[in-house]
Amino acid sequence: MYRPTVRYNNVYRTYVNELFKATSLDRNQIFRLALFTAAYNQKFIEMLEQHQRKDVPLPRTI
């Protein structure tokens, strides 16, 4: 399994820690859930499109 080292701002670290305390999910599950749902979030897609390479299409979800 791929387990990246994640560095992020203290604001996000605090948010993830609060989610960890408020749910039965561990921190890795919280990140995986966030990445999974991002693919279906229109705001995330719009932000990606601003930085998209013109000759490479974005991957599409099923």
Side-chain angles (χ1 to χ4, degrees), residues 8-18 31:
Y8 46 99
N9 188 289
N10 284 338
V11 172
Y12 301 112
R13 185 182 320 271
T14 300
Y15 180 67
V16 170
N17 284 334
E18 289 176 6
F31 273 104

Side-chain angles (χ1 to χ4, degrees), residues 2-3 5 8 11 14 21 32 35 38 46 51 54-55:
Y2 176 65
R3 290 184 182 246
T5 300
Y8 46 99
V11 172
T14 300
K21 292 175 187 173
R32 288 183 6 227
L35 288 171
E46 290 170 4
H51 301 280
K54 298 303 176 199
D55 59 337

